[in-house]
Amino acid sequence: MIKVDISQILGFVSETEVKALEPEVKVAIEKLEKGTGEGSDYIGWMNLASETSPELVSAIKAAAAVLRENCDTVVVAGIGGSYLGAKAVIEAFSNSFSQLIQDKSNPTMLFAGHNISEDYLYELSQYLKGRRFGVINISKSGTTTETALAFRLLKKQCEDQRGKDMARKVIVAITDTSRGAARTCADKEGYTSFIIPDNVGGRYSVLTPVGLLPVAVAGYDIDALLKGAADMEAMTNGNVPFEENISAVYAAARNALYRSGKKIEILVNFQPKLHYFSEWWKQLYGESEGKDNKGIYPSSVDFSTDLHSMGQWIQQGERTIFETVISIDSVKHSVLVPSDEENLDGLNFLAGRHVDEVNKMAELGTQLAHVDGGVPNIRITVPALEEYWLGQLIYFFEKACGISGYLLQVNPFNQPGVEAYKKNMFALLDKPGYEAESAALQARIRK
């Protein structure tokens, strides 16, 4: 199973300080399980994995099969939690060079609707010309600007290239059960559709059709993903003793560090396939905890690459940081270091050894150096990058995030600050209904 090791923080906070948070952790878990805490309307993710019906899984697989049969490329339109979870899982399992390989067994998975770059959307449209592409449109409202704009363009191109009848077959909507522009469009056009549960927020939605459908289209095992998450759900419930509940221990450890002055958490991986998992994690924790002028700032690095850019700052910069390292026990492939007769690079001492052994020693050496340099380290060990274990890791972080938010005394399930930029953008674009705000902003700009 996944393991959490907090031994390398104990020179910075004591075991007693971590243990002292147990009563607060217990209260937080009770709030989650009984639905008595702030934001309790959005705790549907708590039992998603264990309560997802076989009928829903079968329907997702059937929709995925239609897309796989009729498309060489599938574009997922979504932003934030509506795409990051799926991208994180797909990137974790994909061949690092999949877009360069002419692999006809799985569609190429692309993403749009997460930015408003005209160049990006133009280049995407050019790439899709002549391709048998489909679209998964993920939006609860259907009016989020980035996603709605991308879907408008993709829908037209799909209809123009493939005809309206085929477009109806290869466009799938994941949206609200009955309301919103995306639901209206799906019903009008007759798209296959799935529901984003009302009680699940975007950043917690990877184990709903939001994440499961793209993952299934990409060819990965959603049954194993859900099984891993369901098992972690059981291993982190309120009946599990504090010392054995890894979500509880992680939440307590990071909050003990925060209270001691460590304000920044850096999620570290030594496996580049986890880059987008880190991006998902940053949204999960940043959007959940960053409120009321509180919250641990979530950052991430890809080692050993970033040791040659951020390593200096981490080693000797301001001591307000701690690291959480995701360590993958076993790799899929075997590469041995060859011997070289001239040995100009001096690496013959590694000849015959696995590259992963070198990577593991880089990981251990980095941890020792950073701890010596004043950076506490939490280590999360994952047996392998496989669907079952990634399902466990996803739920582990989600549960710990809910606990941690309540330890910080914030609502971990809303995001009121996200609306500020939207109001300004709409006013600056002269959207109807924003006339007063537009006038006020234009006056500010002219000053």
Side-chain angles (χ1 to χ4, degrees), residues 295-309:
I296 301 166
Y297 181 81
S299 182
S300 65
V301 288
D302 301 326
F303 285 167
S304 63
T305 304
D306 289 336
L307 285 171
H308 296 262
S309 58

Side-chain angles (χ1 to χ4, degrees), residues 137 139-143 173-175 179-187 191:
N137 185 40
S139 177
K140 191 171 277 192
S141 67
T143 57
I174 303 177
T175 186
R179 299 169 296 177
R183 168 51 60 194
T184 300
C185 177
D187 290 345
Y191 299 150

Side-chain angles (χ1 to χ4, degrees), residues 130-399:
R131 294 187 179 271
R132 298 166 54 248
F133 79 93
V135 183
I136 300 173
N137 185 40
I138 305 174
S139 177
K140 191 171 277 192
S141 67
T143 57
T144 301
T145 304
E146 294 89 341
T147 304
L149 179 59
F151 179 65
R152 178 181 284 210
L153 294 167
L154 290 164
K155 177 176 181 289
K156 183 178 188 305
Q157 185 171 356
C158 189
E159 290 175 346
D160 289 348
Q161 280 184 209
R162 310 202 65 184
K164 286 203 169 186
D165 287 342
M166 180 56 75
R168 290 189 185 99
K169 190 172 184 178
V170 297
I171 296 176
V172 178
I174 303 177
T175 186
D176 188 86
T177 182
S178 60
R179 299 169 296 177
R183 168 51 60 194
T184 300
C185 177
D187 290 345
K188 178 184 175 185
E189 299 289 351
Y191 299 150
T192 297
S193 66
F194 294 93
I195 293 168
I196 304 172
D198 287 338
N199 60 354
V200 179
R203 59 189 177 274
Y204 290 87
S205 68
V206 63
L207 297 174
T208 73
V210 167
L212 296 177
L213 179 60
V215 170
V217 172
Y220 302 113
D221 187 347
I222 60 173
D223 290 304
L225 195 73
L226 287 168
K227 180 66 166 65
D231 286 351
M232 183 57 68
E233 178 187 323
M235 290 186 287
T236 57
N237 68 42
N239 296 321
V240 177
F242 175 77
E243 294 84 357
E244 299 171 21
N245 186 329
I246 59 174
S247 289
V249 169
Y250 172 59
R254 63 195 301 275
N255 276 274
L257 289 165
Y258 178 66
R259 294 177 189 188
S260 75
K262 303 296 184 182
K263 305 296 185 181
I264 300 167
E265 180 175 13
I266 304 175
L267 191 70
V268 177
N269 71 76
F270 282 78
Q271 167 54 272
K273 291 177 182 288
L274 288 174
H275 174 83
Y276 273 95
F277 190 88
S278 296
E279 295 300 305
W280 169 80
W281 174 88
K282 284 193 289 189
Q283 187 205 359
L284 178 65
Y285 279 80
E287 208 167 62
S288 296
E289 294 189 326
K291 291 152 199 169
D292 303 333
N293 298 313
K294 301 175 185 177
I296 301 166
Y297 181 81
S299 182
S300 65
V301 288
D302 301 326
F303 285 167
S304 63
T305 304
D306 289 336
L307 285 171
H308 296 262
S309 58
M310 291 298 293
Q312 173 61 41
W313 193 96
I314 294 170
Q315 188 72 40
Q316 295 183 328
E318 187 175 65
R319 302 294 78 182
T320 54
I321 61 174
F322 67 96
E323 291 177 304
T324 295
V325 181
I326 301 177
S327 179
I328 307 298
D329 261 352
S330 63
V331 293
K332 291 182 179 179
H333 306 293
S334 173
V335 177
L336 298 177
V337 179
S339 180
D340 184 84
E341 185 176 340
E342 295 190 14
N343 195 29
L344 294 176
D345 54 18
L347 293 182
N348 271 355
F349 74 100
L350 297 175
R353 297 163 83 170
H354 287 275
V355 171
D356 191 55
E357 183 184 351
V358 181
N359 197 36
K360 291 290 196 301
M361 292 307 100
E363 180 182 319
L364 179 57
T366 301
Q367 182 185 61
L368 293 169
H370 287 181
V371 170
D372 288 346
V375 182
N377 263 243
I378 299 170
R379 190 166 187 260
I380 299 168
T381 304
V382 182
L385 267 186
E386 296 170 355
E387 290 92 332
Y388 176 79
W389 299 114
L390 203 65
Q392 280 204 4
L393 192 63
I394 287 167
Y395 191 88
F396 157 76
F397 275 126
E398 288 181 342
K399 186 65 167 287

